[in-house]
Amino acid sequence: MCGIFAVTECAQAADVVRAGLLALQHRGQESSGIVSSDGEKLHAKAGMGLVWDVFPSFASELLPGRAAAGHVRYSTAGESLLKNAQPLMFGGRHGALAIAHNGNFTNAVALRRELEAKGAIFQSSTDSEVAVHLMARRGPPLERAFIESLRRIEGAYSLILFTPGRVLAARDPLGFRPLVLGRLGRGFVLASETAALDAVKASLVREIDPGEVLILEKGRVRSLKPFAVKKIPARCVFEHVYFARPDSQVFGRNVQAARREMGRQLAREMGGVRADIVVPVPDSGVSAALGFSDVSGVPFEMALVRNHYVTRTFIKPTQTQRESSAAMKLFPVAEALRARRVVLVDDSIVRGTTSRLIVRRVREAGAREIHMAVASPPIVSPCHYGINTPLAKELIAAERKVEAVRKFLEADSLHYLSLGGLLKAAGGSAGEEGFCSGCFTGRYPAPVPADEAGSDRR
Ligand code: 5GP
Ligand code: MG
């Protein structure tokens, strides 16, 4: 998972990109990068860490020009390296260009082998670089080379291709990952989420369609529809469950509203709830817990406190590291929990590590009963399209029945939202169709990698 952002026709464009990336920081904390164009040359800086670390002050002093693009990268277990920090920069027959990618090319390993056999020398271990090598094998015009390279790529992508004079954007034909177009003064903005448009005071023009390619040049935007698009898209429902910011509109639906509805639906599905308080696992469980409280009538209580200075518990490479950083992150308010019957609400359970720790803490704080309510179905299968869910063997629900997961979590009861309920909540008035829910079903809408071990998922 990653966040991407670009702006054109704008003074100090790199500063605007920095502000946009700050609003997308939740989509990736491993590395941050910005590339700008002064009209002739590209200027770039990327580094490991948060936007605030890599760009502590204005970026435009170093990165001049009226167009810029940026990327925040999501941590994966293995390849946490500077050489993979995007935007990746290249020179070749199409001139200087940079690429910023959110998603995962599922046939990247096969394509990379094929390209390497023909002599390609890769500078990173990302799947994203494959697109550039494919482009370099074709002559101008640039947009045709870009589109022809995308024709060979399978899987999920929202992409920005940045050149000195033009910015291209593309969304894969199934529309897995979000991407929106905005307006800022005389220029345009591209962003993974609308929250980043708001952060720079750009107005939302529209979502980029699945299978659409945009060309931003000289203050104008051109739209191409070069792919045969399946009627029903496969938008990632996990964006609504966990990933996106509550203040964003994702796939045309406000994320907070979707999450609150997930919580409401979960309470409906559970029927009458006998409990004293509804407690969210912050921050990701808050919206669903509000909805759960709406419907059940059980009062909402912030009885778990999050230390905001401890970050990135989920993506630590080893289980011991994950457990110790999770242990420093969430703390119970004993006064609120003592002798209470508690419904604990979280958005999802992945490995079960955090959830078990929290259940233990809430019990130690004196809770009388702990009912775990999860605002999405059991995650049973890995994501191949850009969410860093672990391999099946690390997923607590992959091979266990709900009762076995409950035992593992040491909860008094465990309730998951149904898939139908989730899709209804995520779709809102638009309905339940058109989502990828592969992580909950193991049914994948696009081919998955033949050689899973070799791919660099994000
Ligand atoms: P678990 O109890 O399964 O170890 O962790 C569940 C928690 O992980 C939930 O609170 C959920 O919000 C969070 N989570 C789910 N998916 C992701 C992800 O892709 N990245 C991060 N950082 N956290 C996640
Ligand atoms: Mg969480």
Side-chain angles (χ1 to χ4, degrees):
M1 185 51 67
C2 297
I4 58 176
F5 189 94
V7 65
T8 64
E9 307 281 324
C10 173
Q12 276 105 43
D15 295 334
V16 175
V17 172
R18 174 175 174 264
L21 291 182
L22 280 168
L24 297 174
Q25 188 79 81
H26 61 287
R27 298 184 68 86
Q29 300 89 29
E30 175 188 308
S31 66
S32 315
I34 300 177
V35 55
S36 73
S37 164
D38 61 16
E40 283 169 19
K41 279 209 312 277
L42 298 187
H43 306 262
K45 182 181 175 182
M48 301 305 290
L50 304 175
V51 178
W52 210 256
D53 301 326
V54 180
F55 303 100
S57 63
F58 293 118
S60 59
E61 285 161 23
L62 198 73
L63 306 170
R66 296 179 58 79
H71 185 270
V72 285
R73 185 165 192 256
Y74 189 66
S75 289
T76 53
E79 303 280 326
S80 180
L81 304 169
L82 183 58
K83 69 172 182 173
N84 290 339
Q86 297 193 16
L88 294 167
M89 299 270 293
F90 301 89
R93 64 201 293 190
H94 298 290
L97 55 85
I99 191 165
H101 173 206
N102 173 202
N104 190 41
F105 301 156
T106 50
N107 60 342
V109 173
L111 287 173
R112 186 180 174 121
R113 278 200 200 110
E114 176 192 318
L115 289 157
E116 281 175 343
K118 289 177 183 155
I121 297 169
F122 279 78
Q123 67 183 47
S124 78
S125 63
T126 66
D127 56 333
S128 317
E129 191 178 345
V130 165
V132 180
H133 284 269
L134 289 170
M135 278 181 68
R137 307 182 68 79
R138 293 192 169 79
L142 177 79
E143 67 248 37
R144 173 122 46 87
F146 184 49
I147 287 164
E148 290 307 318
S149 83
L150 295 181
R151 277 191 210 289
R152 295 225 42 215
I153 289 168
E154 290 167 359
Y157 53 84
S158 285
L159 270 179
I160 293 173
L161 184 75
F162 189 83
T163 76
R166 281 193 285 182
V167 181
L168 278 64
R171 196 165 164 219
D172 70 72
L174 286 167
F176 283 99
R177 309 261 71 97
L179 189 63
V180 291
L181 177 70
R183 197 80 163 109
L184 181 64
R186 291 173 48 229
F188 287 99
V189 180
L190 296 161
S192 294
E193 291 183 33
T194 61
L197 300 185
D198 299 336
V200 303
K201 299 200 160 62
S203 56
L204 173 65
V205 175
R206 63 181 177 86
E207 197 180 333
I208 289 152
D209 288 335
E212 184 174 13
V213 174
L214 292 184
I215 302 164
L216 276 51
E217 189 175 18
K218 300 197 177 83
R220 283 174 305 145
V221 59
R222 264 193 299 147
S223 163
L224 305 176
K225 298 272 175 77
F227 306 112
V229 171
K230 295 220 179 100
K231 272 213 191 68
I232 301 181
R235 302 164 300 167
C236 169
V237 75
F238 208 70
E239 292 275 352
H240 271 302
V241 170
Y242 169 79
F243 221 84
R245 253 169 67 154
D247 55 333
S248 282
Q249 304 291 125
V250 169
F251 312 136
R253 170 123 167 100
N254 173 244
V255 174
Q256 164 99 328
R259 286 183 192 161
R260 195 163 182 147
E261 187 52 34
M262 289 167 205
R264 298 172 71 108
Q265 179 61 23
L266 178 58
R268 278 182 217 117
E269 290 180 8
M270 280 170 63
V273 177
R274 290 158 62 98
D276 302 308
I277 49 174
V278 172
V279 176
V281 179
D283 292 324
S284 57
V286 172
S287 310
L290 284 168
F292 193 97
S293 176
D294 291 342
V295 164
S296 63
V298 178
F300 175 94
E301 178 76 73
M302 285 297 283
L304 282 168
V305 174
R306 171 166 166 195
N307 180 340
H308 282 267
Y309 306 95
V310 178
T311 51
R312 298 198 264 169
T313 51
F314 183 86
I315 36 68
K316 291 272 170 21
T318 71
Q319 184 68 4
T320 324
Q321 279 175 301
R322 274 196 297 274
E323 276 169 21
S324 71
S325 48
M328 288 183 282
K329 193 158 157 180
L330 286 163
F331 296 90
V333 182
E335 285 68 14
L337 293 164
R338 200 167 295 132
R340 297 286 170 80
R341 295 170 299 175
V342 177
V343 179
L344 261 184
V345 180
D346 207 351
D347 66 289
S348 59
I349 294 180
V350 184
R351 296 181 177 88
T353 321
T354 317
S355 309
R356 175 160 73 176
L357 184 97
I358 292 163
V359 170
R360 281 186 184 166
R361 287 213 167 147
V362 168
R363 207 176 293 284
E364 279 161 19
R368 185 146 60 91
E369 291 172 19
I370 303 169
H371 304 283
M372 186 86 204
V374 188
S376 59
I379 298 180
V380 297
S381 223
C383 178
H384 301 285
Y385 311 119
I387 301 267
N388 187 24
T389 47
L391 302 175
K393 66 177 191 311
E394 297 167 317
L395 294 167
I396 186 74
E399 268 154 32
R400 286 184 191 79
K401 296 224 160 66
V402 173
E403 171 56 18
V405 178
R406 182 202 65 76
K407 268 209 183 109
F408 175 85
L409 299 180
E410 301 168 7
D412 296 300
S413 71
L414 169 65
H415 312 265
Y416 284 100
L417 181 61
S418 69
L419 182 63
L422 169 66
L423 295 176
K424 214 188 288 169
S429 56
E432 303 167 35
E433 297 273 283
F435 288 102
C436 174
S437 50
C439 53
F440 301 122
T441 61
R443 287 195 301 274
Y444 297 108
V448 300
D451 177 7
E452 183 53 61
S455 89
D456 182 22
R457 284 178 298 125
R458 86 186 50 82

